Coordinates of all heavy atoms in Angstrom, one line a residue:
T223 N 15.4 -14.8 34.7 CA 16.1 -14.6 35.9 C 16.4 -13.1 36.3 O 16.4 -12.7 37.4 CB 17.5 -15.4 35.9 OG1 18.2 -14.9 34.7 CG2 17.3 -16.9 35.9
S224 N 16.5 -12.3 35.2 CA 16.9 -10.9 35.4 C 16.7 -10.2 34.1 O 16.8 -10.8 33.0 CB 18.3 -10.8 35.9 OG 18.6 -9.4 36.1
I225 N 16.5 -8.9 34.1 CA 16.4 -8.1 32.9 C 17.6 -7.1 32.9 O 17.9 -6.5 33.9 CB 15.0 -7.2 32.9 CG1 13.8 -8.1 33.2 CG2 14.9 -6.5 31.6 CD1 12.5 -7.4 33.5
N226 N 18.2 -7.0 31.8 CA 19.4 -6.2 31.7 C 19.2 -4.7 31.9 O 18.1 -4.2 31.6 CB 20.0 -6.3 30.3 CG 20.7 -7.7 30.1 OD1 20.8 -8.5 31.0 ND2 21.3 -7.9 29.0
A227 N 20.2 -4.1 32.5 CA 20.1 -2.6 32.7 C 20.3 -1.9 31.4 O 21.0 -2.4 30.5 CB 21.2 -2.2 33.7
G228 N 19.8 -0.7 31.3 CA 20.0 0.1 30.0 C 20.0 1.6 30.2 O 19.6 2.1 31.2
V229 N 20.7 2.2 29.3 CA 20.7 3.7 29.2 C 20.4 4.1 27.7 O 21.0 3.5 26.8 CB 22.0 4.3 29.7 CG1 22.2 5.7 29.1 CG2 22.1 4.3 31.2
R230 N 19.6 5.1 27.5 CA 19.4 5.6 26.1 C 19.7 7.1 26.1 O 19.4 7.8 27.1 CB 17.9 5.4 25.7 CG 17.5 4.0 25.4 CD 16.1 3.9 24.9 NE 15.7 2.6 24.7 CZ 14.5 2.2 24.4 NH1 13.6 3.1 24.1 NH2 14.2 0.9 24.3
A231 N 20.3 7.5 25.0 CA 20.6 8.9 24.9 C 20.4 9.4 23.5 O 20.5 8.6 22.5 CB 22.1 9.1 25.3
T232 N 20.1 10.7 23.4 CA 20.1 11.3 22.1 C 21.4 12.2 22.0 O 21.8 12.8 23.0 CB 18.9 12.3 21.9 OG1 18.8 13.2 23.0 CG2 17.6 11.5 21.9
C233 N 22.0 12.1 20.9 CA 23.3 12.8 20.7 C 23.3 13.7 19.6 O 22.6 13.5 18.6 CB 24.4 11.7 20.5 SG 24.5 10.4 21.7
K234 N 24.1 14.8 19.7 CA 24.2 15.8 18.6 C 25.7 16.1 18.4 O 26.4 16.4 19.3 CB 23.4 17.0 19.0 CG 23.5 18.1 18.0 CD 22.5 19.2 18.3 CE 22.9 20.5 18.0 NZ 22.0 21.6 18.4
I235 N 26.1 16.0 17.1 CA 27.5 16.5 16.8 C 27.3 17.8 16.0 O 26.5 17.9 15.1 CB 28.2 15.5 15.9 CG1 28.3 14.1 16.5 CG2 29.6 16.0 15.5 CD1 29.4 13.9 17.5
T236 N 28.0 18.8 16.4 CA 28.0 20.1 15.7 C 29.4 20.3 15.1 O 30.4 20.3 15.8 CB 27.7 21.3 16.6 OG1 26.5 20.9 17.4 CG2 27.4 22.5 15.8
G237 N 29.4 20.3 13.7 CA 30.7 20.5 13.0 C 30.5 21.8 12.2 O 30.0 22.8 12.7
L238 N 31.0 21.8 11.0 CA 30.9 23.0 10.1 C 30.5 22.6 8.7 O 31.2 21.8 8.0 CB 32.2 23.7 10.1 CG 32.2 25.1 9.4 CD1 31.4 26.1 10.2 CD2 33.6 25.6 9.2
A239 N 29.3 23.1 8.3 CA 28.8 22.8 7.0 C 29.7 23.6 6.0 O 30.0 24.7 6.2 CB 27.4 23.2 6.8
A240 N 30.2 22.9 5.0 CA 31.1 23.6 4.0 C 31.0 22.9 2.6 O 30.4 21.8 2.5 CB 32.5 23.6 4.5
H241 N 31.6 23.5 1.6 CA 31.5 23.0 0.3 C 32.2 21.7 0.1 O 33.4 21.5 0.5 CB 32.1 24.1 -0.7 CG 31.6 23.9 -2.1 ND1 32.0 22.8 -2.9 CD2 30.8 24.6 -2.9 CE1 31.5 22.9 -4.0 NE2 30.7 24.0 -4.1
A242 N 31.5 20.7 -0.5 CA 32.0 19.4 -0.6 C 33.1 19.3 -1.7 O 33.9 18.3 -1.6 CB 30.9 18.4 -0.9
G243 N 33.1 20.2 -2.6 CA 34.1 20.2 -3.6 C 35.4 20.9 -3.3 O 36.4 20.6 -3.8
T244 N 35.3 22.0 -2.5 CA 36.4 22.9 -2.4 C 37.2 22.7 -1.0 O 38.3 23.2 -0.9 CB 35.9 24.3 -2.4 OG1 35.0 24.5 -1.4 CG2 35.3 24.6 -3.8
T245 N 36.5 22.0 -0.1 CA 37.2 22.0 1.3 C 38.1 20.8 1.3 O 37.6 19.6 1.2 CB 36.1 21.8 2.4 OG1 35.0 22.8 2.1 CG2 36.7 22.1 3.7
P246 N 39.4 21.0 1.5 CA 40.3 19.9 1.5 C 40.0 18.9 2.6 O 39.5 19.3 3.7 CB 41.7 20.5 1.7 CG 41.5 22.0 1.4 CD 40.1 22.3 1.6

Side-chain angles (χ1 to χ4, degrees):
T223 52
S224 182
I225 309 169
N226 285 0
V229 160
R230 288 185 186 174
T232 54
C233 305
K234 178 168 146 185
I235 304 278
T236 312
L238 188 66
H241 199 292
T244 59
T245 316

